[in-house]
Amino acid sequence: MVDNTTIQFMWPINERSYCCGRKYLTRSYSAASESYYTRYKVVNPGTNESLDLKVSESYANCYISGSLRRWYFGNLAASRDHNKSSLVKCIKLLSQITGISSGTLWNGNIKKVELGMSVHFKRNQELFIPSLLTYGRLKRKQIGIETVEFMGSKKSFICYDKLEQVGKKYLSKKIRDKLTKNNLILRLELKVKAPSAPEYCGKVNSLKDISRNWDELLDELYYTLKIRVKKDDFFSSDLDLSSGKYTLTEMIQIYSFLGMKMNGMNNVYSFVNSASKFRSKRSDNRKKLHEIYNTYKSNDGQFLLNDIYDKVWKRAEYLKS
């Protein structure tokens, strides 16, 4: 569940020793703390992935940042996530490589953290991503059909196609196209930018806090997706309209349905509210268009939605182990 994070911790100078797992990067001066900091790259020899270690030369203050998930599992492990036991092994390995005690890492002050999970689906469920419409007052950002992010000052929630992202970075086009043709790895991430905010109530101030509240945080991720994020209804598949004969009225309704599906019903309702000639008719106009939409909408979409929620729930339950 734990992915990208930045942890501040106290590491006394007299407890530090040279370790071959730390590779020197740069040295810089911080005016705020009036101290020089040395940056190291902490490499996992098993995956060749690295974390960033920033060490004060004058004080005990230090930082470590990066993706604990990618560092431990590797950059091609798109569907791998930390459960409780793997996070324990990850911190133990990090302690061995850096010389920082496990207790120091577990109790360090988290400045920001991403909590996420990856779930495998079929490619025909990819329209679920752009169907995510609103999440409270957070600002929505969409990239193609593969990424939707809701951004706020204290937290963000993002849903994206992890397989597509990994494929673009590390795989040839031929292999990427073959993998993504029928497969979708949906990545859900809750980015906590202010761990001390009241809504988190001490649940993410340290890795120890996260471990203690692990199950509750996974439930939070699941219910954010299912309940708190509002969705548009253009995910449903169409009825088979390729055969049969229709009256002119039915043909007009069919093309009205196709237009509504393409634009999403929330946009249709907004258009009706602003474009209706008579204010008193807006409610009736919305109702009539909604009836047309439901007449030609297949129920397959609801089955696909239920399948998505079911798989996300099972993934969350698995990561509780």
Side-chain angles (χ1 to χ4, degrees):
M1 177 175 63
V2 179
D3 197 348
N4 278 293
T5 187
T6 296
I7 305 172
Q8 179 188 31
F9 57 94
M10 307 308 288
W11 192 21
I13 296 175
N14 61 358
E15 293 182 8
R16 303 173 193 173
S17 60
Y18 174 76
C19 181
C20 61
R22 303 199 305 264
K23 296 184 178 181
Y24 174 83
L25 288 177
T26 60
R27 183 173 183 261
S28 60
Y29 181 75
S30 171
S33 61
E34 297 182 342
S35 170
Y36 279 96
Y37 280 87
T38 303
R39 285 183 58 230
Y40 298 93
K41 183 167 67 172
V42 181
V43 180
N44 180 345
T47 63
N48 205 34
E49 290 294 311
S50 63
L51 296 172
D52 189 86
L53 175 63
K54 185 178 176 182
V55 178
S56 170
E57 296 180 4
S58 305
Y59 306 103
N61 196 35
C62 300
Y63 298 85
I64 195 161
S65 60
S67 171
L68 294 176
R69 183 190 65 81
R70 188 170 62 248
W71 185 81
Y72 188 73
F73 294 115
N75 58 29
L76 292 179
S79 61
R80 300 290 300 275
D81 292 301
H82 277 304
N83 56 18
K84 279 187 179 181
S85 59
S86 69
L87 184 61
V88 170
K89 294 176 183 177
C90 174
I91 299 305
K92 182 178 180 181
L93 178 61
L94 182 57
S95 174
Q96 292 171 349
I97 291 175
T98 60
I100 306 167
S101 72
S102 293
T104 297
L105 293 171
W106 280 108
N107 290 290
N109 181 30
I110 288 180
K111 309 303 288 183
K112 60 182 179 179
V113 66
E114 292 178 2
L115 308 174
M117 69 173 91
S118 297
V119 191
H120 184 268
F121 294 103
K122 295 179 180 178
R123 178 53 58 180
N124 66 350
Q125 292 171 306
E126 65 181 348
L127 282 179
F128 177 74
I129 298 173
S131 79
L132 305 180
L133 189 65
T134 61
Y135 178 21
R137 296 183 178 180
L138 274 61
K139 182 180 179 181
R140 184 181 187 272
K141 177 182 177 181
Q142 181 174 339
I143 302 174
I145 64 169
E146 67 265 17
T147 302
V148 169
E149 182 173 9
F150 300 99
M151 301 171 290
S153 59
K154 295 183 178 180
K155 67 178 178 182
S156 295
F157 180 78
I158 184 170
C159 178
Y160 63 97
D161 184 349
K162 185 67 176 180
L163 188 58
E164 185 72 23
Q165 183 202 61
V166 171
K168 287 179 179 178
K169 286 185 178 180
Y170 304 108
L171 302 176
S172 67
K173 186 177 185 304
K174 182 178 180 180
I175 295 176
R176 183 176 76 242
D177 290 346
K178 184 177 180 180
L179 287 174
T180 58
K181 182 179 180 180
N182 297 310
N183 298 288
L184 168 68
I185 295 180
L186 191 71
R187 180 74 183 167
L188 308 172
E189 290 177 354
L190 181 62
K191 300 180 180 181
V192 181
K193 305 173 186 178
S196 59
E199 64 182 297
Y200 299 111
C201 300
K203 297 175 186 176
V204 294
N205 287 337
S206 67
L207 290 176
K208 187 175 181 180
D209 288 336
I210 290 176
S211 179
R212 188 183 297 118
N213 296 282
W214 191 271
D215 293 2
E216 187 177 346
L217 290 168
L218 280 167
D219 289 342
E220 171 76 13
L221 193 58
Y222 170 73
Y223 286 114
T224 295
L225 177 72
K226 183 177 181 181
I227 298 174
R228 299 184 183 99
V229 175
K230 304 305 179 184
K231 302 160 191 74
D232 211 342
D233 192 10
F234 62 82
F235 181 58
S236 300
S237 59
D238 305 343
L239 290 172
D240 183 8
L241 304 172
S242 59
S243 59
K245 302 295 182 181
Y246 304 99
T247 65
L248 177 60
T249 299
E250 289 172 332
M251 286 188 281
I252 292 173
Q253 289 180 346
I254 287 170
Y255 275 92
S256 296
F257 161 75
L258 295 174
M260 287 187 284
K261 186 190 175 197
M262 181 181 297
N263 289 282
M265 289 305 293
N266 273 71
N267 288 328
V268 172
Y269 295 149
S270 295
F271 173 74
V272 171
N273 290 339
S274 62
S276 292
K277 189 172 182 178
F278 301 105
R279 185 182 181 91
S280 60
K281 292 290 185 180
R282 288 189 301 185
S283 178
D284 288 340
N285 293 342
R286 290 196 302 268
K287 183 177 179 181
K288 288 175 182 177
L289 287 173
H290 189 73
E291 289 174 353
I292 292 173
Y293 186 84
N294 283 336
T295 299
Y296 296 97
K297 183 186 75 172
S298 169
N299 289 325
D300 293 346
Q302 188 57 50
F303 291 123
L304 290 173
L305 277 174
N306 290 340
D307 182 57
I308 287 174
Y309 296 145
D310 183 59
K311 287 182 178 178
V312 172
W313 174 257
K314 288 180 180 178
R315 181 65 173 168
E317 290 298 300
Y318 170 77
L319 294 176
K320 292 178 181 180
S321 59

